[in-house]
Amino acid sequence: MLACVKRASGELVVEQRPQPEAATGEVVIDIAYGGICGSDLHYFHDGAAGEFTITEPLVLGHEVVGRIAALGDGVTGLALGQSVAVHPAEVCGECAACQEGQPHLCRASRYLGSAAHTPHIQGGFTEQLVVAAERAFPLPAGMTLRRAALAEPFSVAYHAVRRAGDLAGKTLLVTGAGPIGSLAVAAAKQAGAGTIITSDLTDHALGLAEQMGADVLVRADQTEPHEHPGQIDVAIEASGTAAGLNSCIRAVRPGGRIVQVGILPPGTTAILGNALVNKEIQLHGSWRFHTEFADAIALLASDIDPEPLISHEFDLVDAELAFRTASDRSSASKVLLRMNPEPADSSDV
Ligand SMILES: [Zn+2]
Ligand SMILES: [Zn+2]
């Protein structure tokens, strides 16, 4: 089977890997789609995402959906051919974070397509993937695999919105209108937020955020969000830049809250520390998600339509072109790799 591999030397190749087999309690999935994430793009361009550096060949990808191709012994509740979204995390279940119901903070967590550990955790941009059966989440009837491909990024956005607290009627700023920022806009709207202001450097991304529910659009290179009238109660920083975070620090009202969900550049980030102090800003990190995955699938099957964010599809063999396309924020948003798409799914492209 084919897999999209980033080598430590820097090359991105699509090469043969052994066909996986399902052990007891596992399932093999024919992957239909894999979404290219900002972290995949960081691995592609820099060989590192945040603090995680590629030191050996890594199959990229953690936003994957597909159909059950084989069931290991002892697997119940799943059927051959069933459409599923793959939960990308496997946690230890024993550490303090796991025991306290915060498994997404498990330091032993093994996340698909991640260089956090060595040996690296091989990812899902493959024709087939084997995972523990409980990580295969069945899709509701009628939900397309293409739509479900947004389950992982939507879970990240949904977790960030939950970290923002009660948003009912509140004015919200979202800096960065990539897929995570735009999905956060949609999740915040669904959670009852009042006015939602979104900032980005490209009109293309802002247009998508508007389709996902943003009320006020700000070109971050032309004006500051805090120049806009009205109090900003909460900010979600989804650009992963110091400039974005400092915009949030300037923009939120005294006592306001900031949720940092964008992955910042490796190392130290210079921030407006004294404004953090004298406005008593609550600055919260937001890292991945865990139990939100099932909720995210249900919301994507009903209230939230992510289709505007899916800008391109490429076959797995064209992965390099897909990665280059996804890197151009003036025209791309979520780019999907296509492995074994459903006939019905590919007709709506
Ligand atoms: Zn992702
Ligand atoms: Zn743990």
Side-chain angles (χ1 to χ4, degrees), residues 37 39 62-63 152-153 156 334:
C37 183
S39 61
H62 55 267
E63 305 178 359
E152 195 271 356
V156 172
K334 181 57 69 182

Side-chain angles (χ1 to χ4, degrees), residues 3-74:
C4 171
V5 179
K6 176 73 179 178
R7 295 196 180 131
S9 59
E11 291 165 285
L12 185 84
V13 293
V14 177
E15 64 183 18
Q16 290 289 337
R17 289 276 166 126
Q19 208 87 15
E21 283 176 20
T24 301
E26 293 180 333
V27 293
V28 174
I29 298 167
D30 279 333
I31 299 297
Y33 296 101
I36 296 178
C37 183
S39 61
D40 296 313
L41 289 175
H42 283 297
Y43 283 131
F44 174 66
H45 288 288
D46 311 326
E51 311 301 327
F52 308 147
T53 301
I54 293 180
T55 57
E56 61 184 16
L58 175 66
V59 176
L60 297 175
H62 55 267
E63 305 178 359
V64 291
V65 294
R67 288 177 299 277
I68 302 286
L71 300 165
D73 288 343

